[in-house]
Amino acid sequence: MRTVQRTQGGAVGPRHRDLVRDASLVWVAGGVVGVSFGAIAVTGGLPVWAPVVMSLVVYAGSAQFSAVGVLLAGGGPLAAAATGLLLNTRTAAFGLAVADVLGPGRLARLAGAHLVTDETVAFALAQTDPARRRAAFWVSGIGLFAVWNVGVLAGALAGDALGDTARYGLDAAFPAVLVALVLPTLRAEARVRRCALPGAALALALTPAVPAGVPVLAALAGLALYGCKEARA
């Protein structure tokens, strides 16, 4: 494998090859779910270009699935956009969490903002020092963006040939990767566990009653608990 020479945030040399190796797990999951999204959109009646353009411009898995679901159910473009926007509001908090990781300059921040996802942020924050966090963000973010869009295009072109994508359990790919990413931090810091558990419990309680993606947003309530504990310390 060729060494990644440079990212928006700075140089990535041989010592960061392990980041490429670890990020590849996220990329595989992203590609698989991307194929599912492209196939679902096209088999539901949307033209091939629709999921492809949405993935390039919007680039938000849960928001894309929800927006397409609204469209296929007969909802209008405004309703679909509103649903996607609601589910994607959680990335505002994620953006704040990695604001110092993106690097200086408007171009880096603009490009980085487009690459902010649950997986990329989790992968970056799992690193132990600022240099590795920046490298991890750009390596995982650029790779995931590329693989996601290739997967969506493949799924859209395959269309009906894949059949019912839900029977393959593809929706479990991303959650499994996220659990693997956050486990080291949860094991190492008791304070993080005490804040994460209430957020996880809230998300589980809301899952049967609210649209997909909203429980993740509600789980961010744990951040407020973390901030309160930090202020008392």
Side-chain angles (χ1 to χ4, degrees), residues 160-186:
D160 294 329
L162 292 176
D164 183 10
T165 56
R167 67 186 178 186
Y168 302 122
L170 301 182
D171 55 340
F174 266 160
V177 170
L178 281 175
V179 169
L181 288 174
V182 301
L183 271 180
T185 301
L186 292 176

Side-chain angles (χ1 to χ4, degrees), residues 68-229:
V68 165
V70 170
L71 291 174
L72 297 183
L78 291 179
T83 300
L85 182 61
L86 172 64
L87 297 183
N88 227 29
T89 52
R90 70 186 188 280
T91 59
F94 295 162
L96 293 175
V98 295
D100 60 339
V101 174
L102 302 184
R106 293 183 179 180
L107 180 59
R109 291 184 176 275
L110 181 62
H114 192 57
L115 298 179
V116 169
T117 64
D118 309 55
E119 300 76 26
T120 301
V121 171
F123 187 67
L125 296 183
Q127 310 308 313
T128 55
D129 65 83
R132 279 186 63 84
R133 285 182 180 177
R134 181 169 299 178
F137 177 86
W138 289 106
V139 167
S140 63
I142 293 173
L144 183 58
F145 179 79
V147 173
W148 170 262
N149 281 280
V150 170
V152 170
L153 176 61
L157 292 176
D160 294 329
L162 292 176
D164 183 10
T165 56
R167 67 186 178 186
Y168 302 122
L170 301 182
D171 55 340
F174 266 160
V177 170
L178 281 175
V179 169
L181 288 174
V182 301
L183 271 180
T185 301
L186 292 176
R187 288 173 177 171
E189 300 187 34
R191 180 182 172 196
V192 173
R193 289 196 299 272
R194 288 194 295 268
C195 298
L197 287 176
L202 179 60
L204 287 174
L206 291 176
T207 296
V210 299
V214 174
V216 177
L217 180 61
L220 294 175
L223 292 175
L225 183 59
Y226 188 91
C228 289
K229 289 180 177 291

